[in-house]
Amino acid sequence: MSTIVQKFGGTSVGSTERINRMADRVIQEKNKGHDVVVVVSAMGKTTDTLVKLVSEITTKPSKREMDMLLSTGEQVTISLLAMALQQRGVEAISFTGWQAGIQTDSVLGNAHIQEIDTKRIRNEMDHGKVVVVAGFQGVTEDGDISTLGRGGSDITAAALASTLKADRCDIYTDVDGVYTSDPRFVPKASKINSLSYEDMLNLAVMGAGVLHPRAVKHAKKFGIPLYIKSSFENVGGTLIHGKVKQIESSPVIGVTFEKDINRVEMFECEDVEGSREAIMRELATRHIQADVYTQSCRNILSLLIKEQDLQEILFVLRKEKDRWKYSRIEQRSSLSKVSVIGQNMKSQPEIKIGMCKMLLENAVRVKLIGESSISVTAVIEKSHIQKAVESLHTGFGLDYEDILKATV
Ligand code: ADP
Ligand code: ASP
Ligand code: MG
């Protein structure tokens, strides 16, 4: 029998009315004869509300208690959805992450799934039940509840689909697919019908928030097709799989951005290159991603980091002041990153040159520009982000009118 994993994000289960509607979607799939496993997020902005509650209690929450708290959001949704299914005469059972056998490492707050023991899930599936699993959570070897990082329910869904060797993993969300840029930010963005795992991974890693990059990695490893679609409209979505050919005529597939970036600089650093290595190792053990670069001649080491990681990184840098021997730290917020995404970017210097020109023409001052094989990224003032993203989107021919013209 075929197995389908369905995942419903926060907006899709934001009210009991919506949970009822999602129950109907589950039943539609079940009635096609599939085994169905459902992964859900916390209702609406529940996780943000829980984070806010913490800020009213302490500025230094322990990671264990934080995960204990944040994992409760998803627990509300699983039981309500299971009840909605039962109310409709469909047998269903809900599982928390640990009941579902999701074992993670011990990096609380940003844990990685190590393995999933699907015995219990399979047993219930064999009895014809729909299994509803809480996204975003698991359990460490020590038996503590762990969370997978914000947006982590996508990871739960893709990892479960991989372990269960599902035929497809459907990600239901509040947009009807993956676009060339965030459609809420760039009204002229174009929907992409079909994407390779590599291209989706590149978009996600560089900031396309529609799908968690680690979810794409799990699906890619086991060749599970991911289908991103709307929870609310019955229109075609975006299929992500391994058989998509690279479109050679369009070197740029999308424009991504991260609005809130912080720069932290360590001055008069005694050994900038050595410290860079050590800091990158330290961040890796904490599953934190940052761009770390050096100005050796001025003994400055700089980090570009996401807002959510700022406090932890400052804590690490301050704690290790004697080890990394620097005189002072300066921090700068209100920066943003904008990236154009494609493949073999380093062998196409015209993309970087074009990007600089377009930004200049739109009076966007570039503070820093860097490239990798999959992207060219500029750091800019946050106040310029809208015009920067829109001008690059238009400049690289991604606006929907232009894509439409190119395809007729
Ligand atoms: P969910 O709660 O369903 O996981 P998310 O908010 O995490 O939903 O992701 C969906 C959002 O991703 C959309 O509302 C959209 O604003 C944003 N987004 C960012 N980049 C893209 C993109 N390239 N294509 C589609 N949506 C995008
Ligand atoms: N509820 C978690 C969050 O808001 C996980 C998720 O929605 O994917 O980040
Ligand atoms: Mg999400």
Side-chain angles (χ1 to χ4, degrees), residues 7 9-10 41 150-154 171 173 209-212:
K7 180 255 169 178
S41 294
R150 297 305 303 269
S153 298
D154 293 339
I171 308 274
T173 185
V210 64
L211 193 58
H212 199 294

Side-chain angles (χ1 to χ4, degrees), residues 46-61 66 69:
T46 300
T47 312
D48 291 336
T49 310
L50 293 172
V51 171
K52 189 159 175 292
L53 285 182
V54 174
S55 70
E56 289 165 19
I57 300 272
T58 172
T59 51
K60 292 193 185 91
M66 197 71 187
L69 178 73

Side-chain angles (χ1 to χ4, degrees), residues 5 157-166 215 218-224:
V5 173
L160 265 176
S162 302
T163 314
L164 292 168
K165 300 194 174 50
H218 278 285
K220 180 176 182 225
K221 195 162 163 200
F222 296 91
I224 309 290

Side-chain angles (χ1 to χ4, degrees), residues 25-84:
R25 285 210 176 267
V26 175
I27 293 169
Q28 266 172 25
E29 216 53 56
K30 182 83 182 148
N31 286 346
K32 288 182 195 159
H34 305 302
D35 276 336
V36 183
V37 174
V38 187
V39 173
V40 288
S41 294
M43 291 173 70
K45 300 265 172 235
T46 300
T47 312
D48 291 336
T49 310
L50 293 172
V51 171
K52 189 159 175 292
L53 285 182
V54 174
S55 70
E56 289 165 19
I57 300 272
T58 172
T59 51
K60 292 193 185 91
S62 92
K63 290 195 169 186
R64 185 183 182 283
E65 301 316 323
M66 197 71 187
D67 277 4
M68 183 70 92
L69 178 73
L70 296 192
S71 66
T72 61
E74 273 68 15
Q75 208 166 318
V76 173
T77 326
I78 48 169
S79 39
L80 287 175
L81 181 59
M83 288 182 221

Side-chain angles (χ1 to χ4, degrees), residues 68-133:
M68 183 70 92
L69 178 73
L70 296 192
S71 66
T72 61
E74 273 68 15
Q75 208 166 318
V76 173
T77 326
I78 48 169
S79 39
L80 287 175
L81 181 59
M83 288 182 221
L85 289 164
Q86 290 162 0
Q87 174 67 22
R88 286 161 173 72
V90 172
E91 285 203 86
I93 182 165
S94 64
F95 284 146
T96 59
W98 51 105
Q99 288 174 324
I102 300 176
Q103 179 90 45
T104 73
D105 63 19
S106 55
V107 184
L108 298 180
N110 207 357
H112 285 196
I113 295 176
Q114 287 182 323
E115 60 174 320
I116 308 181
D117 177 355
T118 54
K119 240 192 317 294
R120 233 179 136 181
I121 295 183
R122 281 198 190 281
N123 188 31
E124 298 297 346
M125 284 163 71
D126 290 346
H127 285 88
K129 287 193 191 165
V130 171
V131 180
V132 185
V133 180

Side-chain angles (χ1 to χ4, degrees), residues 7-12 41-42 44-45 150-151 153-154 171-185 189-190 192 200 203 207-212 228-229 231 238 254-257:
K7 180 255 169 178
F8 298 105
T11 319
S12 314
S41 294
K45 300 265 172 235
R150 297 305 303 269
S153 298
D154 293 339
I171 308 274
Y172 288 87
T173 185
D174 57 4
V175 283
D176 62 4
V178 180
Y179 281 69
T180 46
S181 194
D182 185 340
R184 298 194 190 285
F185 202 70
S190 323
I192 308 170
M200 184 64 236
L203 288 169
V210 64
L211 193 58
H212 199 294
I228 315 295
K229 58 202 311 195
S231 293
T238 301
V255 178
T256 60
F257 56 92

